[in-house]
Every structure is written in C-alpha cells, then in structure tokens.
C-alpha cells in the first residue's frame, strides 16, 4: 500500500487522496455502508455508532452524498474502537462492507468493492447464496448474505433498510450485542419522530435480522496496513480532468438505466385497461408509451417504481409486484 491512499468516490467520481493519523487500537472496526438514496444507510450508520457508544466504545458515523436524489448511490461510514479514534475521513479499506442493494455490485461508478481486502467481511442483501455472490463478483475476504429486504417487507411492510442493515453490521462486528442494538434503534428512530408502532416493528425486524446474520469468526485476520501504520500525509487535490472526466463525455445519458433502482414494479392488466391514458399522462419520467391500439406499455429499463401510474389509474388495473433480480 502506498503512503498516500487513493479512493475514487462512488458518488462524485472524484479521486481523493487520503491522509490519516493512525493509532494502534486494541479494537478498531471500520464499517462502510453502500446503498441507494431512500434506503436508510445514513440512519443505519448512526444506529451502529450509537450501539457502539452504548456498549462503551468510541464511535464515529457520517454519510457522503453525491447526487442527493432518491435512488442514487450513497455511502456512509462508522468507526468504533475501545480507544479514542484519531483518524478522520472516509474509510478506504473497510473491515466490514455492507452492500444494501445488490444491483450496486454491477454499477462500475459505485464500485462498492473498492478497497476491500483479505480481511474484509462483505455483507450483501440478496436471496442468492454467499458462494454464488463471491464467485460472480470475485469478492475478496469473507462474505455473508441475508435477504434483509424480505425481512423488512414482512415485518415493517416497507423496503426501509436502516434498522436491518444496522443489525447485520452489529452482528458482524462480534462485539455489539442484541441489547445494545435494540436500545440504539429505539433512540435513533425516536429522534427522527417516528411513531412507537413503527419503531416497534423496526426493533422486531432488526432483532430478526441480527439472529439471521451469520457469526463470522476471523481468528486469522490481521489488521490492514491502514490500521497498523502511523501515517501523516498531506491532502492533495486530483485534477478535475482526471477525477470527473465523465462531464466531458457527451450523449451518454441514454446508457444510464434507472430501472434497477426499484424494489417493486408496476404491472398493467391489459384485459381490464380502458385505455384512458391517465398513466401515460401522469408518469413523471415518461416511461409509459402507447401502442397502435392505445394500450400503455412500461419501459422497465428506466421505470424507477414511483407508482404514480398506479395511484392515478381510475380503474385500478395496475398492481405492484416485487422485483426478482436475475444475475
């Protein structure tokens, strides 16, 4: 590893050179969360930070936003230690890498596996097996998989992943207990003024997810060089022509498909459709077109799953179906 670590931000594509002051902690866990805007990764990182604090550890947590739009990739970070944490900034080489949306694995701009190493435990929210994910994406280190979306849908009735993603991260640290997790979920969700009924469901979902996340022991793990070395280096700025070259690439918007942002897709029952065109008119992203007979058809490559069409349909012939990812 070089004296100066480089990291390409998945949100803004800037190349950032990291400077860190490292101390030799007995325990230091670097946790990185990847998800999409609206899934709750910022809150997940806060819950883990708060659970760590309740457990008597020092903790940091913070998010980094890029486009700041619903569905866009975001990252958040949590550090916890039994000693004061002197380092600042983003986590380049995570010990635990939480990927809350499996579609990000194929997004080269998000580059969610960047900086992972042999000691990294990568967690993926998916119904596929760990061996399938590891082989498909050549994941370094150990891997754990749990379909936390399924748990959230069954208990919370919404694909909100903050509590369940935090629960998996807490379990993988090996040092945060169920009691600390439960207390942290209640505190963080109370602070954002959620109703008690909603908080209770989140607690239930989090504890279920905690129990379903495998315990991964790592007796052979060694701290990364990032943790072992005391480094004080200077911050440098990477030239924008290198860090943000995409702005010079014209005509590539059509290549960016936004259909993989959704958890559910709208499905039109053409046998009951009256061809009123309400869905066609109200679709905010122009993802519905009409065929020669006037029937609406959805562009699933770009439909984000906002369900404005379903809400506006006067005959209620548009239904919601959960997406099934096929790799």
């Amino acid at each position: 590893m070089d004296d100066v670590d480089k990291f390409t931000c998945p949100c803004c594509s800037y190349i950032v050179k990291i400077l860190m002051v490292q101390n030799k902690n007995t325990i230091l866990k670097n946790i990185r969360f990847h998800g999409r805007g609206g899934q709750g990764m910022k809150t997940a990182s806060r819950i883990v930070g708060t659970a760590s604090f309740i457990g008597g550890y020092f903790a940091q947590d913070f998010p980094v936003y890029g486009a700041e739009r619903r569905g866009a990739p975001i990252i958040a970070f949590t550090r916890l230690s039994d000693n004061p944490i002197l380092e600042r900034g983003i986590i380049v080489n995570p010990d635990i890498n939480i990927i809350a949306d499996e579609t990000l694995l194929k997004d080269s701009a998000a580059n969610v596996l960047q900086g992972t190493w042999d000691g990294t435990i990568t967690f993926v929210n998916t119904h596929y097996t760990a061996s399938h994910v590891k082989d498909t994406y050549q994941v370094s280190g150990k891997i754990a998989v749990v379909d936390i979306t399924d748990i959230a849908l069954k208990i919370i009735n919404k694909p909100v992943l903050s509590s369940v993603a935090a629960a998996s991260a807490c379990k993988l640290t090996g040092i945060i207990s169920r009691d600390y997790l439960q207390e942290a979920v209640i505190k963080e969700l109370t602070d954002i003024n959620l109703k008690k009924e909603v908080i209770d469901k989140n607690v239930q979902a989090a504890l279920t997810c905690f129990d379903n996340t495998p315990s991964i022991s790592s007796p052979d793990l060694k701290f990364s060089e990032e943790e072992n070395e005391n480094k004080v280096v200077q911050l440098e700025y990477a030239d924008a022509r290198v860090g943000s070259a995409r702005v010079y690439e014209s005509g590539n918007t059509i290549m960016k498909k936004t259909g993989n942002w959704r958890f559910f897709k709208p499905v039109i029952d053409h046998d009951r459709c009256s061809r009123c065109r309400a869905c066609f008119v109200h679709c905010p992203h122009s993802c519905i077109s009409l065929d020669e007979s006037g029937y609406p058809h959805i562009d699933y490559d770009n439909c984000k799953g906002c369900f404005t069409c379903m809400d506006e349909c006067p005959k209620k012939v548009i239904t919601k179906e959960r997406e099934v990812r096929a790799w």
Side-chain angles (χ1 to χ4, degrees):
M1 185 178 295
D2 296 333
D3 289 337
V4 180
D5 295 328
K6 296 179 180 179
F7 180 84
T8 303
C9 176
C11 300
C12 60
S13 299
Y14 268 66
I15 294 176
V16 183
K17 296 182 179 180
I18 308 299
L19 300 196
M20 283 168 286
V21 180
Q22 296 284 346
N23 56 355
K24 294 183 182 302
N25 296 289
T26 304
I27 297 175
L28 175 60
K29 299 288 185 182
N30 296 297
I31 307 170
R32 197 169 74 197
F33 294 85
H34 294 273
R36 295 188 181 278
Q39 289 183 322
M41 290 305 99
K42 172 192 172 185
T43 303
S45 70
R46 285 193 61 84
I47 291 172
V48 176
T50 299
S52 305
F53 186 76
I54 294 170
Y57 295 97
F58 294 88
Q60 295 176 352
D61 61 77
F62 53 97
V64 172
Y65 298 108
E68 288 200 64
R69 64 185 179 189
R70 192 173 186 84
I74 78 153
I75 49 179
F77 309 93
T78 303
R79 288 189 178 94
L80 67 97
S81 175
D82 57 353
N83 280 301
I85 303 171
L86 302 181
E87 62 186 287
R88 297 292 185 270
I90 60 178
I91 293 171
V92 179
N93 304 113
D95 301 303
I96 299 171
N97 194 32
I98 304 292
I99 302 173
D101 188 313
E102 64 186 85
T103 64
L104 290 173
L105 284 163
K106 295 192 290 187
D107 191 329
S108 58
N111 200 5
V112 295
L113 298 177
Q114 182 177 208
T116 54
W117 57 295
D118 290 343
T120 300
I121 301 172
T122 295
F123 173 88
V124 181
N125 171 24
T126 180
H127 66 277
Y128 286 97
T129 64
S131 58
H132 177 77
V133 177
K134 187 175 180 65
D135 293 341
T136 302
Y137 291 98
Q138 302 300 306
V139 178
S140 300
K142 298 186 177 182
I143 186 168
V145 296
V146 176
D147 190 346
I148 59 174
T149 298
D150 189 58
I151 293 174
L153 289 173
K154 287 179 178 175
I155 299 176
I156 307 174
N157 298 321
K158 291 183 179 178
V160 179
L161 307 179
S162 52
S163 300
V164 287
S168 292
C170 287
K171 181 69 171 288
L172 293 174
T173 65
I175 57 176
I176 300 178
S177 69
R178 285 175 103 253
D179 291 341
Y180 297 153
L181 168 66
Q182 179 172 347
E183 189 174 344
V185 171
I186 293 172
K187 181 181 186 311
E188 289 301 325
L189 300 191
T190 300
D191 286 349
I192 57 177
N193 298 317
L194 293 184
K195 296 179 179 178
K196 184 178 184 304
E197 178 184 354
V198 177
I199 295 173
D200 290 343
K201 288 182 178 179
N202 274 271
V203 169
Q204 182 185 352
L207 296 180
T208 301
C209 191
F210 188 93
D211 294 339
N212 280 276
T213 300
S215 297
I216 297 182
S217 59
S218 304
D220 56 338
L221 283 184
K222 297 178 180 178
F223 283 140
S224 64
E225 293 180 32
E226 177 185 356
E227 295 171 326
N228 285 333
E229 294 181 355
N230 292 319
K231 296 184 294 184
V232 180
V233 291
Q234 60 181 5
L235 279 172
E236 294 183 8
Y237 174 72
D239 192 307
R241 289 172 297 182
V242 176
S244 58
R246 290 177 182 79
V247 300
Y248 296 105
E249 298 175 2
S250 61
N252 61 0
T253 301
I254 195 171
M255 298 171 62
K256 184 66 176 178
K257 306 300 182 184
T258 55
N260 62 358
W261 294 7
R262 60 177 185 262
F263 287 107
F264 295 89
K265 65 179 180 182
V267 177
I268 302 172
D269 183 351
H270 288 110
D271 292 334
R272 298 168 54 211
C273 176
S274 65
R275 292 177 286 181
C276 70
R277 303 187 179 187
C279 57
F280 168 74
V281 172
H282 288 93
C283 177
H285 303 293
S286 300
C287 290
I288 296 179
S289 58
L290 302 176
D291 63 18
E292 294 179 351
S293 300
Y295 285 103
H297 293 272
I298 299 171
D299 172 11
Y300 287 115
D301 283 341
N302 293 292
C303 169
K304 300 174 183 174
C306 70
F307 290 97
T308 300
C309 55
M310 188 176 75
D311 294 338
E312 296 295 336
C313 178
K315 295 194 67 175
K316 304 301 179 187
V317 300
I318 301 177
T319 55
K320 180 187 289 187
E321 291 186 5
R322 187 178 174 187
E323 281 288 356
V324 177
R325 310 290 184 191
W327 290 354

